[in-house]
Amino acid sequence: MYRTHTCGELRINNAGEQVTLAGWVQRIRKMGGMSFIDLRDRYGITQLVVDDSVSHELNQVAEKLGREYVIQATGVVAERSSKNSKIPTGDVEIKISAMNVLNASLTPPFTIEDESDGGEEIRAKYRYIDLRRNPLKKALELRHKMGQETRKYLDSIGFIEVETPVLIKSTPEGARDFVVPSRMNPGEFYALPQSPQTFKQLLMVAGYDRYFQIVRCFRDEDLRADRQPEFTQIDCEMSFVEREDILNTFEGMIKALFKNVLGREMTEQFPRMSYADAMKYYGSDKPDIRFGMKIAEIKHLVGGKDFAVFDSAEYVAGICVEGAASYTRKQLDEITEWVKRPQVGAKGLVYIRVAEDGIKSSVDKFYTPEDLAKITAEMGAKVGDLILILAGDKKKTQDAMGTLRIEMGNRLGLRRSDHYAPLWVYDFPLLEWDEETQRFYAMHHPFTSPKPEDMEKFYSSNREDIAAVAANAYDFVLNGTEIGGGSIRIHDSAVQKRMFEVLGFTSEEADYKFGFIINAFKFGAPPHGGIAFGFDRFCALFGGQETIRDYIAFPKNNAGRDVMLDAPSHIDESQMDELFLKSTLKKS
Ligand code: ASP
């Protein structure tokens, strides 16, 4: 038997027991004729004591140990004279009588501490060592718990987990597909699923009523920060439901996760907001409502005073930053530079400071103190507040305003990671017109239903009518991050065909790519809808972190590479031949 207990298990009431532990050497300290070894496993750390005066031989074994050696040690549990209150086993130590080296270890390339001294690249290369560190272990334990609680909850309300295939058909719509050549079907390719969207809908046609799957999805996107080419979704679908049914069902699931994983009881209904309001008041389709600082449109208040920037702008809006009137000129200049960065995209910034000694602005030339007083009063600013104003074309400026609002929330410490603000956003536009390719794209995906009241517009031949169609779609947003998205689906084959037509597919193209689902809808498709949650990000947010990488055991880096495996990699000529592949890449 390798061990009688784990390294996280022994307490003072075990004193006097003979035990055997196995684990990794975290640290060795020598004092006088004694060696103190911190032995670590997944469950904790226990102190071992080797006393030279008891056994010289044992001490010689201890002498040879290095960090991360794997050992087995037997001894008696004793009360420690100097206790360590920081760890649960800190009241005891094991007085070792036998020790066995199970495996030696090279010196690890970085320290296995909560704060490691290793850089990102080296830790990624030795991921299996990095995973020994507590923060990563905790992250994976949290992920495990999230998965278990999700399954438990959905099972308890009648959902069944069904696995769907990973080798499917390429239907690029949204992101690019990862493709897999088929040896048995020369010249043909499978694609990896961007999501099991069509399969879950087919399961509804098949009558399965309530489906879910914790499932890997693949998207070949240019990696933006904190995206992974493969990621996990909690994917769900239900039959005979309307939007409210879906929101209520999954609000239940989210609340169960909060309660059972974080011990947080959430009793109130989650707030709900239309897409239009989200954009209007927060400049974002995923508002962070942990703080107010709502955007106010103020063109009507500031126009007509010969300030050309405002007069010529399509849109002028401001936020009232509470308590920020004390910002110095230097700080304001810095924020002005910040909003001009291409990522924010504003042309400039106007400020109004509501200070004890009066209202001061960067546009005093154009506005009388009375004008300014009116603006600040309408915006609800009090003494001590600062108003920041941007102007320009509506869409861009609204986005910039949203970005600035988040930035000010960060600067003022209003975005605390232990504060959770859930939100449902609904009624997104169905389609987006792309000038470059001169066609519509589905905002969500081509299976999302238009809102019934917009059906007439959906069949219109007028582009503007079509652009105005709202989707029966919704997102779940947590702390300004989109965690889930879904919709009520089209279940009528004629409407689905119309959707492909609107998206610019010929009838033949639509049949070639999506014939299977258009056909399935002819065999008694029930009304249905669903949602999918980004599981990795959900876990990260529950862990109070912004990055998902720590919540994935073996993630890829920003260039989509697994630096541990050194993948992707070239394959042999013979493998290429077998797959009927030829590379067009010039050998350098
Ligand atoms: N399949 C969709 C997605 O991956 C989610 C859904 O509509 O249920 O975004």
Short mmCIF file of all heavy atoms in Angstrom, two decimals, residues 195 197 200 219 233 444-445 485-486 489 530-532, ligand 1:
data_model
loop_
_atom_site.label_atom_id
_atom_site.label_comp_id
_atom_site.label_asym_id
_atom_site.label_seq_id
_atom_site.Cartn_x
_atom_site.Cartn_y
_atom_site.Cartn_z
N SER A 195 -20.21 24.58 -33.04
CA SER A 195 -21.14 24.30 -31.94
C SER A 195 -22.04 23.18 -32.45
O SER A 195 -22.12 22.96 -33.65
CB SER A 195 -21.95 25.54 -31.57
OG SER A 195 -23.11 25.62 -32.37
N GLN A 197 -25.01 23.16 -32.93
CA GLN A 197 -26.29 23.82 -33.18
C GLN A 197 -27.29 22.97 -33.96
O GLN A 197 -28.40 22.74 -33.50
CB GLN A 197 -26.04 25.15 -33.92
CG GLN A 197 -27.28 25.97 -34.15
CD GLN A 197 -27.96 26.36 -32.84
OE1 GLN A 197 -27.31 26.65 -31.84
NE2 GLN A 197 -29.29 26.35 -32.83
N LYS A 200 -28.47 19.70 -32.13
CA LYS A 200 -29.42 19.82 -31.01
C LYS A 200 -30.80 20.14 -31.54
O LYS A 200 -31.80 19.70 -30.98
CB LYS A 200 -28.94 20.81 -29.95
CG LYS A 200 -28.80 22.25 -30.35
CD LYS A 200 -28.43 23.08 -29.11
CE LYS A 200 -28.11 24.51 -29.42
NZ LYS A 200 -27.87 25.31 -28.22
N ARG A 219 -13.32 26.79 -33.17
CA ARG A 219 -13.48 27.91 -34.10
C ARG A 219 -12.11 28.42 -34.51
O ARG A 219 -11.29 28.74 -33.65
CB ARG A 219 -14.30 29.05 -33.47
CG ARG A 219 -15.72 28.61 -33.24
CD ARG A 219 -16.64 29.67 -32.70
NE ARG A 219 -17.88 28.99 -32.29
CZ ARG A 219 -18.88 29.56 -31.63
NH1 ARG A 219 -18.82 30.82 -31.32
NH2 ARG A 219 -19.95 28.86 -31.30
N GLN A 233 -18.66 24.45 -24.21
CA GLN A 233 -19.97 25.08 -23.98
C GLN A 233 -20.85 24.18 -23.12
O GLN A 233 -20.74 22.96 -23.19
CB GLN A 233 -20.72 25.28 -25.31
CG GLN A 233 -20.18 26.38 -26.18
CD GLN A 233 -21.09 26.63 -27.38
OE1 GLN A 233 -21.90 25.80 -27.77
NE2 GLN A 233 -20.93 27.81 -27.98
N HIS A 444 -26.55 36.32 -34.97
CA HIS A 444 -26.35 35.20 -34.06
C HIS A 444 -25.96 33.98 -34.89
O HIS A 444 -24.80 33.63 -34.97
CB HIS A 444 -27.64 35.00 -33.26
CG HIS A 444 -27.53 34.00 -32.17
ND1 HIS A 444 -28.57 33.19 -31.82
CD2 HIS A 444 -26.51 33.67 -31.37
CE1 HIS A 444 -28.18 32.39 -30.83
NE2 HIS A 444 -26.94 32.68 -30.55
N HIS A 445 -26.89 33.33 -35.51
CA HIS A 445 -26.62 32.31 -36.53
C HIS A 445 -27.88 32.13 -37.36
O HIS A 445 -28.94 32.64 -36.99
CB HIS A 445 -26.12 31.00 -35.91
CG HIS A 445 -26.99 30.46 -34.83
ND1 HIS A 445 -28.32 30.15 -35.01
CD2 HIS A 445 -26.74 30.18 -33.53
CE1 HIS A 445 -28.82 29.70 -33.88
NE2 HIS A 445 -27.89 29.72 -32.95
N GLY A 485 -25.54 32.68 -24.94
CA GLY A 485 -26.37 33.27 -25.98
C GLY A 485 -27.24 32.20 -26.58
O GLY A 485 -26.84 31.03 -26.66
N GLY A 486 -28.43 32.59 -26.98
CA GLY A 486 -29.30 31.61 -27.61
C GLY A 486 -30.46 32.30 -28.27
O GLY A 486 -30.50 33.54 -28.36
N ARG A 489 -35.76 29.26 -32.24
CA ARG A 489 -35.30 28.91 -33.58
C ARG A 489 -36.41 28.99 -34.61
O ARG A 489 -37.60 28.93 -34.27
CB ARG A 489 -34.75 27.48 -33.61
CG ARG A 489 -33.99 27.05 -32.40
CD ARG A 489 -32.74 27.86 -32.16
NE ARG A 489 -31.99 27.30 -31.02
CZ ARG A 489 -30.97 27.89 -30.45
NH1 ARG A 489 -30.56 29.07 -30.86
NH2 ARG A 489 -30.35 27.32 -29.44
N GLY A 530 -33.13 27.47 -27.58
CA GLY A 530 -32.07 27.01 -26.68
C GLY A 530 -31.07 28.10 -26.38
O GLY A 530 -31.28 29.28 -26.67
N ILE A 531 -29.99 27.64 -25.82
CA ILE A 531 -28.95 28.58 -25.38
C ILE A 531 -27.66 27.78 -25.19
O ILE A 531 -27.71 26.57 -24.97
CB ILE A 531 -29.37 29.28 -24.07
CG1 ILE A 531 -28.43 30.42 -23.69
CG2 ILE A 531 -29.47 28.28 -22.90
CD1 ILE A 531 -29.01 31.38 -22.66
N ALA A 532 -26.53 28.46 -25.29
CA ALA A 532 -25.26 27.82 -24.95
C ALA A 532 -24.44 28.79 -24.10
O ALA A 532 -24.44 29.99 -24.36
CB ALA A 532 -24.49 27.44 -26.21
N1 ASP B 1 -24.99 27.51 -30.91
C1 ASP B 1 -25.05 28.86 -30.44
C2 ASP B 1 -23.65 29.39 -30.20
O1 ASP B 1 -22.69 28.63 -30.18
C3 ASP B 1 -25.80 28.97 -29.14
C4 ASP B 1 -27.26 28.75 -29.32
O2 ASP B 1 -27.89 29.43 -30.13
O3 ASP B 1 -27.81 27.92 -28.59
O4 ASP B 1 -23.47 30.57 -30.03
#
